[in-house]
Amino acid sequence: MGDISREEMKNTLRILVATDCHLGYLEKDEIRRHDSFQAFEEICSIAEQKQVDFLLLGGDLFHENKPSRSTLVKAIEILRHHCLNDKPVHFQVVSDQTINFPNTFGHVNYEDPHFNVGLPVFSIHGNHDDPAGVDNLSAVDILSACNLVNYFGKMVLGGSGVGQITICPILIKKGSTSVALYGLGNIRDERLNRMFQTPHAVQWMRPEAQEGCQVTDWFNILVLHQNRVKANPKNAINEHFLPRFLDFIVWGHEHECLVDPLEVPGMGFHITQPGSSVATSLIDGESKPKHVLLLEIKGNQYRPTKIPLTSVRPFEYTEIVLKDESDIDSNDQNSIIEHLDKVVQSLIEKSSKRAVNKSELKLPLVRIKVDYSGFMTINPQRFGQKYVGKVANPQDILIFSKASRKGRSDVKIDDSERLRPEELNQQNIEALVAENNLKMEILPVNDLDVALHNFVNKDDKMAFYSCVQYNLEETRSKISQDADPLKFEEEDLILKVGECLEDRVKERNTHSKKDMAFTSSIQSSKDLGSKSSTAVGSAVSFSDDEDTVKASGSKPTRGRKASSKAADDTPIKTSTRGRGRGRGRGTSSLKQTTLDASLGFRQSQRSASAAATATVRSIADTDVMNSASSGEPRENEVEEINDSSENDDSLLSKGRKRTAPRGRGRGSTQSKRGKKSDNSAVQRTLMGRDDSNDDSEDEDNARKILNKSQPRATRNYGALRKGR
């Protein structure tokens, strides 16, 4: 019997599979800071006890893209303790290792003569620890350079359009068993989705047929780290995108533990989803018991064995609908608190009964989702204070929600929409725009989404700046291709900017996403102190430079004096920001733009055309602006605006800008030196039209409209000022 078992062991490849360890999660929390390391320590201990050939990790080994020194040290200590020993390695890597491990050394770590590696670890990267920076390095590269981890599945996106990748397997042999291990580190789901649907964008390399080993003799395993379940199919990878020659798939990134392999109908392969080893989201899916998978492969046969993790902190989750509880009075808050206290106590008792090791009982995580439709809420932090020292998360035991009007089925879809911690704290911009039926008029949605992702998750401080600069330059270059932009009709200018946006959206859909591009709608000019208006008067771009510069290369304006001149061939003009918090003076073109914006006329294309006409002519007419700066009336300019069309005349009669509040210094409509702003000319014109009774009635009507539609004045706090 012993000889038979030894013979089987020689031909059986034993792999321990785990995903989403998230080392360093909540490392500053006094209670939960060690949870991720204790779970990873247990995983490595199980690998030693079961005498596996290697440990396979499915991404997100680290929780942060730039893990702290403490997290790196603890991870290296755990791997060094369990992986470096004199135990023999019984399998061979027979593929080209320089392709499988594209690092300085180019070979599997246990073949290094300077190290005794007894437990090889193979890992791909996830979305939390993905490569970034100039050298495209990941935190897993650090462990690879230490010869503790074999890092594979790192793709170089080549080609044009959406890009092209080639997935080469690590060919492993143990006795008569041959395994082809494919790895695909995390790529943005939208892009990988398009790549799978683009012919020849994703190429799979197969092992060559050799004497005694045909292509069909290889057992093919794929490890990937992508969205699996998503309401928007473009933000996930469909299982049917994967090739049919695969036999077994390890799916990372999803935190719900579905470790039992499930066959995909019509595809012929099985999928296991081990889930995370530490609870990072307090939702129902993460409350299920955590497991790792022992995978034994012999020939083309495999045997899965799930192994529970006992060091994981217990987590109890339940949902309550207050209107379904008979002992709660909707007008009595104390009755709600008493009922919730009973529920919390029952969950704590339930957790203690489930504990395997009573001597090392950990404080449990408790989460109660409360549907408070028709009831009042209570303060979750105040409620949790009485459970300090009894639960691990006293500050967020309760989470309140309301049932959807369409039914509770919609709410449940959100919870089962699986289980990434970031989904609880932030929302994808593309989904937000689609959900609210918003129309992006300045920026492509994809650029905005990529910029925010890199700023938050990759700590890219220049993400927004690079995005703004890229889109501004792209729009300017396309507008400047015409011979004389100042001779455009107002409708042409509006259409030109719209065409630029459409072109950028098409480019984003067919090419890889550029790093960031932002701009802001015209409404933002009411909130921020640093502004620059475009020639069409329909968009305002922002800069946090202290000295503003004209977009076409004209000289910058410094000090407290606002620029009142513009080059004849300059379609774009900027304004300076004076000292103080959001009290900078704007140019005449900006004031004309904000006039229409404050009156809420942006929805009307006719009013937008009038704003564009006034802006272009005020920029082009340098003599008129010089006369305005010297205090002379700007009658000619007002006449030109009034002569544009009859409707434009009525627009200006109704569109007088409201005087700024007193005591605002440089933010008032009249400067300290007694020079009147551009709006004073419009006001004098409006006041001068009181000669006839009809004109006075028109002005009264205009004032009534202003009182109704004028937005409330708010202080600007200079959100884009440089940090000191």
Side-chain angles (χ1 to χ4, degrees):
M1 188 71 179
D3 294 337
I4 296 175
S5 63
R6 279 197 211 98
E7 190 66 26
E8 288 182 354
M9 290 296 293
K10 289 181 180 178
N11 299 316
T12 302
L13 187 68
R14 296 164 60 85
I15 307 172
L16 187 68
V17 181
T19 64
D20 296 272
C21 296
H22 287 275
L23 297 180
Y25 176 69
L26 290 184
E27 62 180 345
K28 296 183 179 179
D29 188 287
E30 289 299 325
I31 299 177
R32 303 165 63 184
R33 58 187 302 223
H34 300 296
D35 288 2
S36 60
F37 300 104
Q38 291 173 352
F40 187 57
E41 178 90 36
E42 182 183 3
I43 292 172
C44 294
S45 299
I46 293 174
E48 281 190 305
Q49 294 169 7
K50 299 297 181 180
Q51 298 180 359
V52 301
D53 291 296
F54 63 86
L55 174 62
L56 181 60
L57 302 177
D60 278 354
L61 177 60
F62 294 100
H63 183 69
E64 299 289 344
N65 189 268
K66 297 179 180 179
S68 66
R69 285 174 289 185
S70 175
T71 297
L72 282 173
V73 168
K74 291 178 182 177
I76 292 173
E77 288 175 349
I78 295 173
L79 290 170
R80 180 177 174 180
H81 176 70
H82 293 279
C83 299
L84 301 184
N85 51 58
D86 294 331
K87 295 179 182 179
V89 176
H90 298 288
F91 67 90
Q92 292 180 336
V93 176
V94 298
S95 56
D96 187 350
Q97 299 184 27
T98 58
I99 297 177
N100 300 140
F101 312 109
N103 51 31
T104 304
F105 305 98
H107 56 76
V108 69
N109 65 344
Y110 68 84
E111 292 184 357
D112 193 314
H114 303 94
F115 288 82
N116 284 335
V117 178
L119 176 62
V121 178
F122 291 83
S123 177
I124 63 172
H125 67 260
N127 61 310
H128 280 257
D129 51 11
D130 58 330
V134 178
D135 296 321
N136 196 37
L137 294 177
S138 164
V140 187
D141 280 301
I142 299 176
L143 302 182
S144 176
C146 295
N147 209 43
L148 297 172
V149 169
N150 298 295
Y151 178 22
F152 72 112
K154 187 176 181 179
M155 296 297 156
V156 177
L157 299 176
S160 59
V162 296
Q164 184 178 8
I165 59 175
T166 301
I167 305 177
C168 299
I170 301 174
L171 302 181
I172 299 173
K173 277 198 170 186
K174 182 180 181 183
S176 61
T177 300
S178 301
V179 173
L181 179 61
Y182 294 84
L184 181 59
N186 179 263
I187 301 175
R188 286 187 61 82
D189 294 291
E190 300 87 344
R191 181 170 188 173
L192 186 59
N193 185 293
R194 295 200 308 270
M195 293 177 71
F196 273 121
Q197 300 183 64
T198 303
H200 310 297
V202 181
Q203 297 183 359
W204 301 82
M205 305 299 292
R206 300 291 301 277
E208 295 181 356
Q210 298 177 354
E211 184 178 356
C213 184
Q214 300 300 319
V215 176
T216 56
D217 294 336
W218 291 88
F219 187 86
N220 301 288
I221 301 176
L222 170 64
V223 188
L224 78 163
H225 191 98
Q226 304 290 155
N227 283 345
R228 185 180 177 188
V229 179
K230 197 71 177 176
N232 184 0
K234 294 183 179 180
N235 291 337
I237 303 304
N238 194 312
E239 298 158 351
H240 293 80
F241 288 162
L242 304 176
R244 296 176 184 269
F245 70 82
L246 295 173
D247 298 298
F248 195 84
I249 296 175
V250 178
W251 205 297
H253 187 60
E254 302 291 349
H255 283 203
E256 184 176 7
C257 183
L258 302 174
V259 70
D260 293 317
L262 297 176
E263 183 177 1
V264 179
M267 298 302 293
F269 51 72
H270 295 73
I271 297 180
T272 181
Q273 182 180 303
S276 64
S277 59
V278 58
T280 59
S281 304
L282 300 182
I283 54 180
D284 190 19
E286 292 248 37
S287 64
K288 297 179 180 179
K290 303 292 185 181
H291 293 82
V292 292
L293 181 70
L294 175 60
L295 185 65
E296 297 175 283
I297 304 170
K298 182 180 180 182
N300 285 328
Q301 305 287 328
Y302 78 89
R303 179 172 60 195
T305 304
K306 62 179 183 180
I307 302 173
L309 297 177
T310 59
S311 64
V312 177
R313 185 178 298 277
F315 176 27
E316 300 295 335
Y317 177 91
T318 189
E319 296 184 5
I320 293 178
V321 181
L322 294 181
K323 64 181 180 181
D324 295 341
E325 304 296 334
S326 58
D327 59 338
I328 299 179
D329 184 4
S330 59
N331 298 321
D332 186 6
Q333 192 177 45
N334 292 329
S335 65
I336 300 176
I337 296 176
E338 290 176 1
H339 181 79
L340 293 177
D341 282 332
K342 294 178 182 178
V343 176
V344 174
Q345 292 293 344
S346 65
L347 291 178
I348 294 175
E349 294 175 2
K350 181 180 177 181
S351 174
S352 62
K353 292 178 180 179
R354 286 185 181 180
V356 178
N357 190 351
K358 300 290 184 179
S359 60
E360 298 181 2
L361 185 63
K362 295 183 178 181
L363 296 180
L365 294 167
V366 175
R367 169 56 65 90
I368 304 174
K369 184 176 181 180
V370 182
D371 182 357
Y372 70 101
S373 301
F375 290 78
M376 63 183 71
T377 62
I378 62 176
N379 191 320
Q381 286 78 18
R382 185 178 301 172
F383 176 84
Q385 287 178 358
K386 66 185 77 172
Y387 296 103
V388 174
K390 298 180 181 180
V391 299
N393 61 319
Q395 71 280 0
D396 56 358
I397 296 176
L398 303 179
I399 179 172
F400 290 94
S401 65
K402 281 190 175 182
S404 174
R405 294 180 180 179
K406 298 180 181 179
R408 292 190 56 81
S409 59
D410 294 340
V411 179
K412 293 182 179 179
I413 289 176
D414 293 337
D415 281 344
S416 63
E417 198 191 19
R418 306 269 209 292
L419 295 180
R420 292 199 318 282
E422 59 266 27
E423 287 188 350
L424 297 178
N425 301 321
Q426 65 188 28
Q427 187 174 6
N428 184 276
I429 289 179
E430 297 178 11
L432 183 64
V433 171
E435 178 183 347
N436 293 277
N437 295 323
L438 300 177
K439 182 180 179 182
M440 304 298 288
E441 300 183 6
I442 305 300
L443 291 174
V445 180
N446 292 346
D447 284 5
L448 190 62
D449 191 38
V450 171
L452 182 61
H453 173 80
N454 290 341
F455 180 79
V456 174
N457 295 332
K458 298 186 179 180
D459 198 24
D460 186 355
K461 303 300 184 184
M462 299 298 291
F464 294 102
Y465 177 79
S466 302
C467 188
V468 170
Q469 294 302 316
Y470 177 79
N471 275 272
L472 284 179
E473 291 299 330
E474 204 171 34
T475 304
R476 290 169 187 163
S477 62
K478 291 185 178 181
I479 292 180
S480 62
Q481 291 176 1
D482 295 272
D484 191 357
L486 292 179
K487 292 184 180 180
F488 280 154
E489 296 293 335
E490 56 269 21
E491 292 86 356
D492 296 337
L493 289 173
I494 296 172
L495 293 175
K496 189 68 177 178
V497 174
E499 291 173 359
C500 293
L501 174 62
E502 292 178 0
D503 292 341
R504 294 203 303 274
V505 172
K506 292 178 181 178
E507 290 176 2
R508 302 304 186 273
N509 291 334
T510 57
H511 295 77
S512 60
K513 295 182 181 179
K514 306 290 182 181
D515 269 351
M516 286 70 72
F518 290 178
T519 193
S520 186
S521 64
I522 188 172
Q523 192 173 358
S524 303
S525 61
K526 292 180 283 186
D527 300 324
L528 297 175
S530 176
K531 310 180 183 75
S532 61
S533 62
T534 63
V536 295
S538 64
V540 179
S541 61
F542 297 92
S543 171
D544 55 0
D545 294 333
E546 194 68 28
D547 304 320
T548 53
V549 185
K550 295 180 181 178
S552 61
S554 57
K555 295 182 179 180
T557 305
R558 294 182 176 273
R560 297 188 298 176
K561 296 183 179 180
S563 174
S564 62
K565 297 183 180 181
D568 294 337
D569 58 347
T570 304
I572 300 175
K573 188 173 183 179
T574 61
S575 62
T576 68
R577 181 180 65 215
R579 293 185 224 160
R581 306 181 69 178
R583 302 178 184 177
R585 292 183 234 165
T587 61
S588 61
S589 62
L590 181 60
K591 290 176 183 284
Q592 179 63 37
T593 302
T594 55
L595 173 66
D596 291 344
S598 63
L599 291 177
F601 289 138
R602 190 180 178 188
Q603 300 295 333
S604 172
Q605 185 175 0
R606 185 64 180 171
S607 59
S609 302
T613 303
T615 306
V616 172
R617 293 183 178 178
S618 62
I619 293 175
D621 196 349
T622 307
D623 295 335
V624 174
M625 297 185 69
N626 290 336
S627 63
S629 62
S630 61
E632 298 177 3
R634 299 175 59 187
E635 298 176 355
N636 294 336
E637 180 180 342
V638 174
E639 290 176 0
E640 288 179 0
I641 298 175
N642 291 338
D643 291 341
S644 61
S645 66
E646 295 179 0
N647 293 333
D648 297 344
D649 190 351
S650 62
L651 173 64
L652 286 173
S653 66
K654 297 180 181 181
R656 185 171 51 176
K657 186 174 180 181
R658 183 183 59 189
T659 305
R662 295 180 181 178
R664 288 286 184 258
R666 288 184 289 276
S668 62
T669 57
Q670 186 170 354
S671 63
K672 291 184 177 181
R673 300 184 181 182
K675 296 181 181 180
K676 294 186 177 180
S677 64
D678 299 330
N679 277 348
S680 61
V682 180
Q683 293 173 358
R684 289 198 303 272
T685 303
L686 294 173
M687 295 300 293
R689 296 177 62 183
D690 292 335
D691 297 333
S692 63
N693 295 331
D694 294 338
D695 292 340
S696 63
E697 292 177 0
D698 291 340
E699 185 174 359
D700 292 337
N701 293 333
R703 288 176 178 173
K704 292 178 180 180
I705 294 174
L706 283 174
N707 292 333
K708 293 181 179 179
S709 61
Q710 194 84 339
R712 182 173 60 86
T714 58
R715 283 190 65 181
N716 294 331
Y717 286 95
L720 296 181
R721 294 181 65 192
K722 287 185 177 180
R724 297 180 179 177

